[in-house]
Structure formats: C-alpha cells, structure tokens
C-alpha cells in the first residue's frame, strides 16, 4: 500500500509517500518493511533565524503558500505514480502550533474528500518514534540494523524542540509514558542557550557546531535530575546557569562560546543517555529508539550507541537518519501504517495540546 503523509506542526511543510508490501498493521507487534518513495520539505526557517525564534503567524502564512506545491512535488517524485495509486492520507493533527496544524489538517481533509481516500490522524510525537520504522536505520559507525528488525518491548527517547519524553512500547498499540521534562525541552534548552551565546536560531545545530572546537572541562554545568528516581527531566536550571556565566563576563569570545557550547552539549547528552539506559534496564527492553530533532545531534547519536553497546549489549539501538529525526512527513506516513485507524474527514480536528496520554 502507499500512504501520503502530510506534516505541518511547526515551521516545516512536509509531504512524503511511503510504500509497503503488506496491508497496514492494525494490531500487535508485527514489523514490516516501509520504503520511502518520496520526501519533500519546505522550510520557513530562514525567516525565523532573523527573528531568533519561530513567529507562529509567519510560519502558518508561509505554509499556506507551500502546502500544495509540496504535496504535488511529493507525488511527482514517485515515478509513474498518479493520485489513483495513493491508498490513504496521513496527517499530523497535533501537538504543534494551531495555525500551522490547521494548514495541514484542512488540506488533508479536503484532499481526502475530493480524492475519496481514507484519512488517518497522526500524533506528531508518535511520528518521531515511527521515524525508526522508515527504511534502514542510520549506521552511525557500528549499527546496520533494519527498521523491520525492531523488537518489542522498546524504550523510545523523543527529544524535540517542544518535548523530551521517555516511553515504553510493548507493541504498536501499547505505548506507556514513563516520564518527561518538567520545564524546558532539550531542544528548547539548546535554542534558548544558543540565543544567550548570540548563535543563530535554531540553537541545537549551532551549539553542536560551536562545540566542535570547545573544551568540555572549562565550564562545569549542572546535569539536572540525573540522579532523580524517576524518568523526568529538567533543563531550565542549565539555561539559568549559562545565563549567570554569560552575565558575569564582559565579553564573549568565540573560544568561550565554543567552551560553553561543548559543556552544555555534554550536560544535555549525559542526562538523556543516563535516563534512557536506566529505563531500558528497568523494563528489560529489546530495543532503544531515538526520535526528534535533537536526535540529529552527532554526540547524542554516537554516545547513545556506544553506551548501549557497552552497558546493555543485549539491547539493540536504533537511530533514524538525521533527516528523519527533524520534522518530516515520512515519519507521519509510517506512524499511520503501523496504527492504521482511518477516521471520517469531518471528525478530524487539529489539537495543539495532544500528548502521549
Ligand atoms: O523535532 P523537531 O524538528 O521539531 C519539533 O518537533 O520541535 O526538533 C527541533 C529541535 C530544535 O529545538 C533544534 O534546536 C533541535 O531540534 N535540533 C538539534 C539539532 N538539530 C535540531 N539539537 C541538537 N543538535 C542538533 N544537531
Ligand atoms: Zn517534531
């Protein structure tokens, strides 16, 4: 079957087509091969980097311009396929920015009605998890696992601009939230600290780049809640610690920016890895899955793989390719394939507050 995915929860406008050899998964823990046929993304990021953050109305106005060309392009990129060859439409219904979500949801509903295709509403957070099920996983140095090899139970770490969550997946229908951030998400911390360091938006990739030449030993920042007895996170204290350091300085040299960036990156990565492995051990999982924009961070990817291999060698670690970690529509189509529940178009609504439970 072929599913057209549509994603517009934040500043990106995405459309993708996935193809599977089997009927959609409606229950259980079965895994099937999902092939990515086309993947198109338009971003208004350059507009937001000028303002140091996303302006919701600007994002939605841009998405209205992009959405139809992006969907057209995603279908055109599927050699010799026509709309008749698409079996279903999957769309992100939340969480996200309401204006942005509405662009994708209303477009998907209209297409579902006109083309007479089933439509499946998808939770964006589940999408980040299902990025792991799209094609082959990233082979960061040692790993060559295939998506269809993912075994349950699994623990997923979802780290994005708005979320930092650990969830336990017993099978496609049984997903239990274990813990999440009590304040800023990891990506949000990167973005806010990036701003304190005068780095361009988004802060995550900018801090990663600056950290390459930094010394992690020059600044020692807190690793919030690393020893707490739960699976919760907190990153606002880290931001405050950086704020205090920066405020006490007369001038912020490139060398100091690099040193702070390296220590911040290390603090965030250490906490994320420690808690993820703790959850994996507690629930004796067979797989660890990474998802979300922060999952594109090379240090997080490398160290998560190394620590898993070294500390819990019987657990497989899955890391999607970087373009599948940041927002995209392929993961939304994959999530719909594995949780195939079409809903009448009239009953689908955008829900900015949607969560895991
Ligand atoms: O998943 P995503 O694309 O959008 C949301 O659902 O929020 O995640 C965006 C977040 C931003 O906070 C961005 O700074 C962060 O992911 N990010 C990174 C990297 N690339 C994106 N953080 C650290 N290192 C990166 N390479
Ligand atoms: Zn996202």
């Amino acid at each position: 079957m072929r599913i057209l995915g549509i994603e517009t929860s934040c500043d990106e406008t995405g459309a993708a087509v996935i193809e599977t050899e089997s009927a959609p998964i409606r229950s259980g823990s079965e895994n099937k091969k999902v092939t990515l046929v086309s993947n198109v993304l338009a971003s208004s990021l350059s507009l937001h980097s000028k303002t140091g953050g996303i302006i919701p109305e600007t994002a939605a106005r841009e998405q209205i311009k992009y959405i139809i060309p992006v969907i057209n392009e995603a279908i055109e990129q599927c050699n010799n396929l026509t709309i008749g060859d698409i079996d279903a439409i999957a769309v992100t219904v939340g969480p996200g920015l309401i204006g942005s979500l509405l662009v994708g949801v209303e477009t998907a509903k209209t297409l579902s009605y006109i083309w007479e295709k089933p439509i499946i509403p998808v939770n964006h957070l589940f999408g980040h998890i299902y990025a792991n099920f799209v094609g082959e996983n990233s082979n960061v140095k040692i790993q060559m696992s295939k998506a269809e090899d993912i075994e349950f139970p699994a623990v997923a770490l979802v780290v994005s601009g708005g979320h930092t969550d650990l969830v336990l997946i017993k099978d496609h229908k049984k997903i239990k939230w274990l813990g999440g951030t009590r304040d800023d998400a990891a990506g949000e911390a990167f973005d806010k600290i990036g701003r304190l360091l005068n780095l361009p938006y988004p802060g995550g990739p900018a801090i990663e780049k600056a950290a390459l030449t930094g010394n992690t030993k020059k600044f020692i920042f807190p690793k919030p809640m690393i020893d707490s007895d739960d699976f919760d996170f907190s990153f606002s204290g880290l931001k405050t610690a950086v704020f205090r350091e920066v405020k006490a300085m007369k001038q912020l040299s490139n060398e100091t920016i690099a040193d702070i960036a390296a220590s911040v990156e290390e603090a965030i990565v250490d906490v994320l890895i420690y808690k993820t492995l703790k959850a994996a051990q507690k629930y004796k999982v067979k797989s660890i899955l990474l998802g979300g924009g922060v999952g594109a961070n090379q240090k997080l990817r490398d160290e998560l793989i190394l620590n898993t291999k070294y500390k819990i060698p019987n657990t497989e670690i899955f890391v999607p390719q970087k373009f599948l970690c940041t927002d995209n529509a392929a993961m939304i189509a994959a999530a719909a394939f594995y949780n195939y529940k079409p809903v009448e178009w009239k009953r689908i609504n955008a829900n900015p507050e949607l969560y895991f439970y």
Side-chain angles (χ1 to χ4, degrees):
M1 90 175 298
R2 293 185 198 88
I3 302 179
L4 168 69
I6 297 175
E7 155 64 38
T8 62
S9 67
C10 195
D11 58 315
E12 314 278 10
T13 307
V17 176
I18 61 152
E19 196 170 69
T20 65
E21 280 161 8
S22 76
I25 310 294
R26 289 170 203 268
S27 66
S29 54
E30 234 184 322
N31 287 338
K32 299 280 182 190
K33 192 171 173 190
V34 171
T35 306
L36 184 56
V37 186
S38 70
N39 187 37
V40 179
L41 207 60
S43 173
S44 56
L45 202 62
S46 58
L47 295 175
H48 307 299
S49 62
K50 287 179 196 144
T51 49
I54 292 167
I55 299 177
E57 189 180 329
T58 308
R61 283 180 184 275
E62 291 302 300
Q63 284 163 318
I64 286 173
K65 286 189 234 161
Y66 299 152
I67 187 81
I68 297 296
V70 163
I71 292 171
N72 268 339
E73 177 74 24
I75 293 172
E76 274 169 22
Q77 280 186 15
C78 307
N79 285 342
N80 302 325
L81 291 190
T82 65
I83 286 153
D85 299 309
I86 303 287
D87 300 295
I89 299 170
V91 64
T92 301
V93 291
L97 303 170
I98 183 66
S100 295
L101 288 168
L102 281 171
V103 175
V105 168
E106 294 309 312
T107 306
K109 284 161 73 171
T110 309
L111 294 179
S112 155
Y113 176 71
I114 296 172
W115 292 346
E116 298 179 0
K117 308 279 179 196
I119 178 168
I120 302 107
V122 175
N123 180 329
H124 181 81
L125 300 172
F126 282 70
H128 276 308
I129 294 173
Y130 279 89
N132 285 280
F133 292 78
V134 181
E136 271 188 17
N137 272 268
S138 170
N139 53 335
V140 192
K141 292 183 186 152
I142 29 182
Q143 186 69 43
M144 267 304 276
S145 299
K146 289 209 172 72
E148 56 268 33
D149 295 336
I150 295 171
E151 280 189 82
F152 298 127
V155 152
L157 170 68
V158 179
V159 260
S160 67
H163 293 86
T164 303
D165 293 292
L166 275 169
V167 294
L168 177 66
I169 309 168
K170 291 190 180 154
D171 64 45
H172 294 294
K173 294 285 170 279
K174 290 191 199 120
I175 298 193
K176 184 183 167 208
W177 183 80
L178 300 176
T181 185
R182 295 185 181 178
D183 40 55
D184 292 352
E188 194 178 353
F190 272 121
D191 294 338
K192 288 179 176 170
I193 293 169
R195 222 171 291 147
L196 292 175
L197 299 177
N198 300 324
L199 293 171
Y201 179 85
I207 288 183
E208 174 171 36
K209 195 169 162 215
L212 290 175
T213 55
N215 178 351
T216 53
K217 305 282 176 280
K218 285 265 179 74
F219 294 88
I220 305 297
F221 290 122
K223 295 179 181 168
M225 298 188 69
I226 197 160
D227 294 320
S228 70
D229 224 6
D230 48 30
F231 297 110
D232 285 350
F233 301 89
S234 164
F235 292 106
S236 74
L238 177 61
K239 174 191 66 192
T240 309
V242 175
F243 175 72
R244 286 210 190 96
E245 285 286 354
V246 171
K247 209 173 161 215
M249 285 172 199
K250 284 204 184 84
Q251 209 190 325
L252 207 51
S253 69
N254 285 342
E255 195 183 332
T256 305
I257 291 175
D259 292 339
I260 295 178
S263 295
V264 163
E265 187 182 49
E266 185 167 272
I268 294 176
V269 165
D270 282 358
V271 176
L272 293 175
I273 290 177
Y274 187 84
K275 292 247 160 149
T276 304
L277 263 60
K278 194 171 119 175
Q281 280 164 314
K282 175 167 178 183
Y283 293 100
K284 299 186 175 57
V285 299
K286 293 189 176 149
S287 315
I288 295 177
L289 315 179
L290 177 67
V294 180
N297 183 279
Q298 196 62 48
K299 188 178 171 78
L300 175 61
R301 300 163 74 85
D302 288 348
E303 295 199 2
L304 188 56
I305 291 171
L306 284 176
N307 276 277
T308 306
K309 296 262 169 209
Y310 179 67
K311 293 182 182 153
I312 38 174
N314 292 331
T315 306
E316 282 286 326
I317 167 81
F318 294 85
V319 170
Q321 292 185 48
K322 290 185 184 182
F323 77 93
L324 293 169
C325 287
T326 45
D327 288 350
N328 66 87
M331 66 184 196
I332 302 304
F337 173 71
Y338 278 104
N339 298 275
Y340 196 81
K341 276 192 227 135
V343 173
E344 199 191 353
W345 67 267
K346 288 179 216 157
R347 295 181 47 226
I348 292 184
N349 290 307
N351 180 358
E353 309 300 334
L354 206 59
Y355 202 27
F356 277 112
Y357 48 79

